[in-house]
Amino acid sequence: MILAIILLIVGLVILIFGADTLVKGASSISRKAGIPPIVIGLTIVAFGTSAPELIVNILSALKGSTDIAIGNIIGSNIANILLIGGIAALIVDLKVQKSTTWKEIPFALLAVVMVLIMGADKFLDGGNKNLLTRTDGLALIGFFIIFLYYTAQIAIGGKDSTEKKEDDGIKTYSYLISILMTIGGLVGLFLGGNLLVENAIKIAKEAGLSEMFIGLTIVAIGTSLPELATSIIAARKGQDDIAMGNIVGSNIFNVFWILGLTSTIKSIPISSTAIVDIVICSLVTSTLFLFMFIGKKHKLQKWQGGFFVLSYIVYTVYLINRG
């Protein structure tokens, strides 16, 4: 058990370091090749920060541990809003743009509601079991393409054509180092992801815990660490748009891209307990939307952040009691 926990932590560290290295290496190559910062941000950086969840989900699905796959996504989305959003709001009131309030947050809500609709086959269709099929996965990816198009239009529309390349924050290295960083990042993702999934399964079995519980807690929080670090740093620097955009964008990516791709590889059974967690995720996302109109409009205030963190503690206690 102790060895499995140590290897799980090692896998998590390698996974996060691999994602960071991949983003830096690939961004450097793109910058040296003259690719615009917008394209880099919408593709390499965005996909790179979602890489931990993606790798964990694909490996979990291939190993038949689909509870970890669905738990990872739903758990990450709940943690992103309640834990990460809550902590960031406790640091400073987060100002949220109207476009985020009226478009991106509802889009994140749509994402989790679609999973609920697609996964509730027993209730809605009278089927034998709840299942996210390959068809469902393709539909989710279709929504993801629409979201990418929407994001691209915003980015292009708000782009200052006179902005200097030096201001985009992308550090460049030689082609050799950039290529080695990219390859090393990919290797790190697969090695770290494999260690994380295998030892999460071992811990669940040896401790008598469900794979769903491990996915919703340890794996979900672990793969959300890049988002946690990004949002806290952004909040401390007063970069509210980055802090909130990172949280909401990650939730959309997690469902439409990662869960969509995972279910196209292998159909994902949805247990009755997972349906409960998906409903909770829907309620949490709805609460975030409602908070935009309570108190100071289009702001996530400190008291609301405290409410979110407290809610996450209560949710975690519920998961522990549920096992």
Side-chain angles (χ1 to χ4, degrees):
M1 172 69 80
I2 295 176
L3 179 60
I5 293 174
I6 292 174
L7 290 176
L8 182 144
I9 295 172
V10 170
L12 181 60
V13 172
I14 294 175
L15 189 72
I16 294 173
F17 180 76
D20 183 59
T21 305
L22 171 63
V23 169
K24 289 180 178 178
S27 297
S28 174
I29 293 174
S30 300
R31 161 55 63 240
K32 292 178 76 67
I35 298 175
I38 293 176
V39 178
I40 298 173
L42 288 174
T43 55
I44 296 166
V45 176
F47 284 92
T49 53
S50 296
E53 286 93 343
L54 177 62
I55 296 301
V56 166
N57 264 44
I58 290 176
L59 292 175
S60 296
L62 292 176
K63 292 176 185 291
S65 299
T66 49
D67 276 351
I68 288 182
I70 189 69
N72 176 37
I73 295 303
I74 300 304
S76 289
N77 281 19
I78 293 174
N80 281 347
I81 294 176
L82 295 184
L83 184 62
I84 300 175
I87 292 175
L90 283 173
I91 295 173
V92 62
D93 288 351
L94 295 178
K95 185 178 180 181
V96 181
Q97 287 190 5
K98 288 185 178 180
S99 62
T100 299
T101 299
W102 289 109
K103 295 178 181 178
E104 282 121 44
I105 294 178
F107 213 89
L109 179 58
L110 171 66
V112 69
V113 168
M114 288 305 299
V115 174
L116 181 60
I117 293 172
M118 292 176 174
D121 297 314
K122 285 184 179 180
F123 178 74
L124 296 176
D125 296 329
N128 295 325
K129 59 182 178 179
N130 298 321
L131 198 68
L132 272 183
T133 63
R134 180 173 286 110
T135 303
D136 295 331
L138 290 173
L140 291 175
I141 292 176
F143 277 108
F144 179 66
I145 293 172
I146 294 173
F147 175 70
L148 278 185
Y149 175 78
Y150 158 74
T151 307
Q153 294 303 307
I154 291 179
I156 294 172
K159 173 67 177 175
D160 182 0
S161 59
T162 63
E163 181 183 6
K164 296 180 180 180
K165 291 183 178 180
E166 289 77 14
D167 294 332
D168 56 37
I170 298 173
K171 187 175 181 180
T172 57
Y173 307 88
S174 68
Y175 272 114
L176 177 60
I177 293 177
S178 299
I179 292 171
L180 290 176
M181 288 175 70
T182 304
I183 295 174
L186 287 170
V187 172
L189 281 173
F190 282 100
L191 290 178
N194 196 51
L195 272 176
L196 180 64
V197 172
E198 285 190 352
N199 288 284
I201 295 171
K202 287 181 182 178
I203 292 171
K205 290 180 178 178
E206 292 183 21
L209 299 170
S210 66
E211 291 185 358
M212 177 63 70
F213 174 80
I214 296 295
L216 285 165
T217 55
I218 299 172
V219 177
I221 294 175
T223 55
S224 293
L225 287 178
E227 286 89 350
L228 175 61
T230 300
S231 290
I232 289 178
I233 292 172
R236 293 184 65 180
K237 290 182 177 180
Q239 298 171 326
D240 299 2
D241 290 345
I242 293 178
M244 184 54 67
N246 174 54
I247 293 167
V248 178
S250 176
N251 282 16
I252 295 171
F253 258 71
N254 283 348
V255 174
F256 286 146
W257 168 238
I258 298 174
L259 196 57
L261 184 60
T262 305
S263 54
T264 60
I265 295 172
K266 186 172 184 178
S267 294
I268 302 176
I270 308 293
S271 64
S272 299
T273 53
I275 292 293
V276 173
D277 295 304
I278 295 171
V279 170
I280 291 173
C281 188
S282 300
L283 292 174
V284 166
T285 310
S286 299
T287 302
L288 175 63
F289 180 71
L290 291 175
F291 273 179
M292 296 298 98
F293 308 97
I294 297 176
K296 296 179 181 178
K297 288 188 177 181
H298 306 295
K299 270 194 175 184
L300 190 62
Q301 300 165 260
K302 288 186 176 64
W303 72 266
Q304 294 168 331
F307 175 80
F308 274 164
V309 173
L310 180 61
S311 297
Y312 190 75
I313 294 172
V314 172
Y315 175 64
T316 304
V317 172
Y318 159 72
L319 289 179
I320 293 173
N321 289 332
R322 191 178 74 180

